[in-house]
Amino acid sequence: MEHAAVDLTLIGLLALICQWLAWRLKLPAILPLLIVGIVMGPVTGLLQPDALLGDLLFPLVSLAVAVILFEGSLTLDFGDLRGHGHIVRRLVTWGALVTGIIGIVAARYTLGLSWEMASVLGAVLVVTGPTVVLPMLQTLRAREHLSQILRWEGILIDPVGAIGAVLVYEFVALGASNGAATYTLVLFAKTALIGFGLGGLGGYLWGCVLRHHWLPQRLHSFGTLMAMLSLFTLSNMLFHESGLLTVTVMGVWLANMRGVPTQQIIEFKETLSLLLISGLFILLAARLTVDQLAQLSWPAWAFLLILVGVARPLAVWVCTLGTRLNWREKALLAWLSPRGIVAAAVASLFALKLENLNMPGAEMLVPVTFLVIISTVVVQSLLSRPIALALKVSEPPPAGFLIIGANPVARTIAKALEESGFTVRLTDNSWDAVQEARMAGLPVYYGNPLSEHATQHLELTGIGHLLPLSPYRELNNLAILHFEHVLGHGKVFRLAAGTSKHAHRHQEQALDHLPMVFGEDVTYAQLSSVVYRGGEVRKAKLSANFSIDDYRQAHQNRLLPLFCIGPNGRIRVANDRAPLTPRAGDTLISLIYPDSPEF
């Protein structure tokens, strides 16, 4: 008992270190998790999951994969599928089909697997996923439309590919158990009927519970988790192994049901998934044996090369026929297709189940999947930026602004920046503020900018600066700490705290190295007061005959310089460490206040 507690604690500590390392190096977390699991398991023998968990291993993996698939399916909004272009729609439908078929044929003839096992492996490796694609896009800096295609393909292929993989597995598993093709088709139809029927019914009924608030708000997340797990168990009791399809369909139904508040549920599932994923992949990688790793000889590498060098380029070529993309842009799309969390989780679960059914080749499923994941993540993380530069499809360093807050101050400043040609994104938890921003034509994200949901859905293409303009100091400070790592030093600013700053001094010591935006005495309260009283943000082009002093005199010194745009288009942000020194030829953006000087 004591030894088990030590092992579980060790897994937790290693998972935390892996997550921190991934954050620090801007890598997908699955990469260090799998490497640590392999080192702890087959390499050193320090961790033996089967001995540690015994008969609990299979049900724990099943429940964990159910949670991961449910959380992923909650992000599949059919409006997103319709609204992000025909290329994305093709990639997550026809592209997935092409990749799956080529993967199946390659697995059959390079790995020597049966058609049944080859079908499972090919279906599993269709999925890419946002957890591996999005970190690469941050360093890739491709053209905006290419980043959008890759980003939304990663988000949408996750649940779509998972449904396809589950259906293929169900068909293969039923065939292995029953043999006769006709009987297998009947059983498969029964699985699909239960999965889609029970999942849709359960999603609708639970959506009604959430929509009509028959459950207290604080119990929404916990209640949804219990409802999902109950439906998973009930489905498996009605028909063996139909639960994964059921919970995936339930998640998709909730995501597309009108009036269902899923934001809080998604954030809770993100935290739970982080815990499950971190521990799960260390355990699953540790289950690999030396014999399994030894099987990764040239046939496995040949399969990998066909998947990356034939299947993906052919799928991209088919899905981009008749589009305006040039060959350079198509080449980048064909290059970037890392596999991630859903592929690893689903492959591991299917392997456990198929091994219990004595399916020949089931032992190859996990090592080959892990080989594809580690190889694609490592190689594509290292080479994507150089390849984008060589293909000339990369963007210059981003100069846009992410603004925390969608209040009147944030909207006023964002509008001026947008009119000056800079990309802006606002983010706020207030629905009223978000609606006001949208009516003003400003792009805005509704939700917590620090959540995992924001990591996937908050578009940062073209964003190079952070302005914390929320009235909530705690949110501003947390956003600064979070995005400083993403945007880099010198691109993130803090806002002066005002007269009560000493009460929160312990919270702001970590921010002392950052400059104060617009000046050390400029607080949100003062900015809000000026805007409320009719203050405006205006632009002025300076010249040899019209200097900054002339501009101040024209407005009786009732202005606060905010930004300065040079003749080359480079923008400088006013702050206490580097006050603006506008020169002839610069464009000055200032806040003009209607009465006596405020600052």
Side-chain angles (χ1 to χ4, degrees), residues 305-350:
L305 290 176
I306 293 172
L307 200 64
V308 174
V310 178
R312 176 64 176 183
L314 184 59
V316 168
W317 178 75
V318 169
C319 295
T320 55
L321 285 174
T323 66
R324 295 181 179 180
L325 296 181
N326 59 45
W327 73 267
R328 297 175 183 273
E329 295 169 330
K330 292 178 182 179
L332 184 68
L333 294 181
W335 163 254
L336 200 68
S337 59
R339 270 54 175 186
I341 284 172
V342 170
V346 171
S348 300
L349 178 61
F350 291 176

Side-chain angles (χ1 to χ4, degrees), residues 6 85 105 138 154 164 184 192 208 220 236 271 379 424 430 437 479 485-486:
V6 171
V105 174
Q138 292 177 3
T184 298
C208 291
H220 277 198
N236 281 337
T271 304
V379 175
V424 294
S430 167
H485 177 71
V486 176

Side-chain angles (χ1 to χ4, degrees), residues 493-509:
F493 302 87
R494 57 184 171 132
L495 190 63
T499 56
S500 62
K501 62 182 179 182
H502 295 293
H504 299 269
R505 184 63 183 171
H506 63 285
Q507 298 179 359
E508 301 186 5
Q509 287 178 346

Side-chain angles (χ1 to χ4, degrees), residues 516-573:
M516 292 185 181
V517 68
F518 308 143
E520 62 180 347
D521 298 321
V522 180
T523 66
Y524 173 81
Q526 291 170 318
L527 292 171
S528 180
S529 175
V530 170
V531 171
Y532 178 77
R533 298 201 312 272
E536 299 178 348
V537 175
R538 298 180 187 173
K539 294 192 298 183
K541 183 66 176 288
L542 304 182
S543 65
N545 298 322
F546 186 68
S547 66
I548 178 63
D549 294 330
D550 298 326
Y551 188 48
R552 287 185 181 277
Q553 186 175 357
H555 288 285
Q556 301 176 352
N557 208 34
R558 292 183 288 107
L559 64 86
L560 174 70
L562 304 177
F563 309 97
C564 187
I565 306 172
N568 59 358
R570 183 173 176 269
I571 190 168
R572 305 192 301 276
V573 182

Side-chain angles (χ1 to χ4, degrees), residues 279-597:
L280 178 66
F281 288 134
I282 290 178
L283 286 170
L284 293 176
R287 285 193 77 249
L288 290 172
T289 65
V290 175
D291 291 338
Q292 285 178 309
L293 294 178
Q295 293 178 18
L296 298 177
S297 55
W298 72 264
W301 291 99
F303 171 76
L304 171 64
L305 290 176
I306 293 172
L307 200 64
V308 174
V310 178
R312 176 64 176 183
L314 184 59
V316 168
W317 178 75
V318 169
C319 295
T320 55
L321 285 174
T323 66
R324 295 181 179 180
L325 296 181
N326 59 45
W327 73 267
R328 297 175 183 273
E329 295 169 330
K330 292 178 182 179
L332 184 68
L333 294 181
W335 163 254
L336 200 68
S337 59
R339 270 54 175 186
I341 284 172
V342 170
V346 171
S348 300
L349 178 61
F350 291 176
L352 282 171
K353 295 180 176 181
L354 293 172
E355 286 173 5
N356 289 338
L357 294 174
N358 297 317
M359 272 289 282
E363 71 282 355
M364 289 291 294
L365 197 57
V366 171
V368 172
T369 301
F370 285 7
L371 172 68
V372 172
I373 292 171
I374 294 174
S375 300
T376 54
V377 169
V378 171
V379 175
Q380 293 178 15
S381 293
L382 292 175
L383 298 183
S384 289
R385 179 62 178 165
I387 287 176
L389 291 172
L391 291 172
K392 299 179 181 179
V393 293
S394 61
E395 293 280 8
F401 290 82
L402 174 63
I403 300 177
I404 306 301
N407 50 70
V409 174
R411 296 197 300 269
T412 302
I413 293 176
K415 199 66 179 176
L417 288 169
E418 188 178 58
E419 290 173 352
S420 299
F422 292 92
T423 300
V424 294
R425 297 280 189 279
L426 292 85
T427 172
D428 207 302
N429 278 317
S430 167
W431 181 247
D432 291 337
V434 167
Q435 289 290 77
E436 291 285 346
R438 287 176 177 168
M439 286 190 289
L442 294 167
V444 58
Y445 170 79
Y446 173 57
N448 180 1
L450 310 178
S451 68
E452 188 67 24
H453 184 269
T455 302
Q456 298 184 14
H457 293 82
L458 175 56
E459 177 56 56
L460 294 180
T461 303
I463 300 298
H465 303 85
L466 175 78
L467 297 180
L469 299 180
S470 166
Y472 305 108
R473 180 185 304 159
E474 188 73 19
L475 176 60
N476 284 338
N477 292 347
L478 291 174
I480 290 167
L481 292 171
H482 176 76
F483 286 102
E484 184 184 14
H485 177 71
V486 176
L487 300 178
H489 183 69
K491 303 295 185 180
V492 175
F493 302 87
R494 57 184 171 132
L495 190 63
T499 56
S500 62
K501 62 182 179 182
H502 295 293
H504 299 269
R505 184 63 183 171
H506 63 285
Q507 298 179 359
E508 301 186 5
Q509 287 178 346
L511 309 178
D512 284 343
H513 63 289
L514 297 174
M516 292 185 181
V517 68
F518 308 143
E520 62 180 347
D521 298 321
V522 180
T523 66
Y524 173 81
Q526 291 170 318
L527 292 171
S528 180
S529 175
V530 170
V531 171
Y532 178 77
R533 298 201 312 272
E536 299 178 348
V537 175
R538 298 180 187 173
K539 294 192 298 183
K541 183 66 176 288
L542 304 182
S543 65
N545 298 322
F546 186 68
S547 66
I548 178 63
D549 294 330
D550 298 326
Y551 188 48
R552 287 185 181 277
Q553 186 175 357
H555 288 285
Q556 301 176 352
N557 208 34
R558 292 183 288 107
L559 64 86
L560 174 70
L562 304 177
F563 309 97
C564 187
I565 306 172
N568 59 358
R570 183 173 176 269
I571 190 168
R572 305 192 301 276
V573 182
N575 62 83
D576 66 323
R577 308 277 174 86
L580 295 181
T581 54
R583 297 180 293 271
D586 290 346
T587 299
L588 187 67
I589 300 178
S590 306
L591 176 61
I592 311 297
Y593 27 91
D595 39 39
S596 60

Side-chain angles (χ1 to χ4, degrees), residues 238-255:
L238 291 175
F239 193 77
H240 189 56
E241 304 302 350
S242 62
L244 290 178
L245 179 60
T246 299
V247 297
T248 305
V249 172
M250 178 186 179
V252 173
W253 191 286
L254 287 173

